[in-house]
């Protein structure tokens, strides 16, 4: 079997031995979790307001989002679907903002995990489990819960606030 030099180098970079020796900083992992969870929430909010083009949008507009909200919440009366959609949207804006500004990360990550878990279970019981896997909702929930367990502070507002209070 013949390998050219670049293919061999690529193989060497991706070898299991190399992957095992890469050490990822907990700070980088925490940043990645914070960003991916926040972007996921904000992307969903942007979708329901028609900010994604229709080729990639899931809902594409507020009405379609409310129709889906009704599907995954069959026990909620029709007249409460819009308030539920508004509340979900507001929460899906607040949570990523606090995660992005790094304030009370553990608390807001845990709330995010529960919200995503509720969403995943609602999807599962109303439309089946496939969509929850396709959209990685359980994975996002687990990522949020994992983020909530990372206690090490790195440039977080509450850490700065605690230092300021300790100095006074």
């Amino acid at each position: 079997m013949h390998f050219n030099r670049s293919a061999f180098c690529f193989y060497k970079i991706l070898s299991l031995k190399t992957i095992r020796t890469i050490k990822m900083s907990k700070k980088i992992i925490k940043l990645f979790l914070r960003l991916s969870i926040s972007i996921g929430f904000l992307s969903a909010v942007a979708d329901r307001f028609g900010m994604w083009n229709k080729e990639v949008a899931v809902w594409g507009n507020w009405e379609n989002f409310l129709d889906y909200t009704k599907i995954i919440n069959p026990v909620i009366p029709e007249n409460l679907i819009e308030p539920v959609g508004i509340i979900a949207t507001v929460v899906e804006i607040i949570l990523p903002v606090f995660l992005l500004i790094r304030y009370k990360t553990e608390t807001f990550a845990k709330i995010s995990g529960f919200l995503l878990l509720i969403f995943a279970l609602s999807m599962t019981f109303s439309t089946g489990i496939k969509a929850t896997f396709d959209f990685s909702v359980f994975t996002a929930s687990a990522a949020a819960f994992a983020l909530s367990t990372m206690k090490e502070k790195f440039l977080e507002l509450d850490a700065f606030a605690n230092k300021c209070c300790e100095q006074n």
Side-chain angles (χ1 to χ4, degrees):
M1 189 190 271
H2 175 64
F3 286 104
N4 67 27
R5 234 185 145 111
S6 60
F8 180 75
C9 290
F10 182 72
Y11 169 77
K12 191 71 172 157
I13 290 170
L14 292 179
S15 72
L16 287 177
K17 184 177 178 184
T18 305
I19 291 172
R20 281 189 217 127
T21 61
I22 295 173
K23 294 188 182 210
M24 291 187 69
S25 160
K26 286 183 182 178
K27 293 175 184 175
I28 291 176
I29 294 168
K30 190 172 186 178
L31 176 65
F32 181 61
L33 286 169
R34 183 183 300 118
L35 288 174
S36 60
I37 294 163
S38 297
I39 290 168
F41 277 131
L42 295 174
S43 174
V45 170
D47 189 330
R48 65 191 71 152
F49 289 126
M51 298 169 105
W52 285 108
N53 65 35
K54 63 182 177 182
E55 290 81 27
V56 297
V58 174
W59 304 295
N61 61 51
W62 184 252
E63 293 77 28
N64 290 343
F65 167 70
L66 290 180
D67 290 342
Y68 186 70
T69 302
K70 184 178 175 183
I71 290 169
I72 66 168
N73 294 289
V75 297
I76 295 179
E78 178 86 29
N79 63 333
L80 294 179
I81 290 297
E82 187 158 19
V84 166
I86 291 169
I87 291 167
T89 300
V90 169
V91 171
E92 288 180 54
I93 293 169
I94 291 171
L95 293 175
V97 166
F98 280 100
L99 290 174
L100 288 171
I101 66 170
R102 302 173 180 169
Y103 182 72
K104 302 288 183 191
T105 300
E106 292 87 4
T107 301
F108 286 100
K110 192 174 289 183
I111 295 168
S112 297
F114 281 117
L115 179 67
L116 288 161
L117 182 59
I118 290 167
F119 183 50
L121 292 173
S122 295
M123 288 174 68
T124 300
F125 293 126
S126 62
T127 63
I129 200 155
K130 185 177 182 321
T132 59
F133 292 145
D134 289 351
F135 294 112
S136 302
V137 187
F138 285 114
T139 305
S141 176
F145 286 128
L147 177 59
S148 76
T149 67
M150 301 178 85
K151 304 297 182 200
E152 182 182 356
K153 302 289 184 194
F154 177 63
L155 300 174
E156 295 185 35
L157 289 180
D158 45 334
F160 290 127
N162 289 341
K163 284 183 182 180
C164 290
C165 291
E166 289 173 4
Q167 292 176 355
N168 290 333

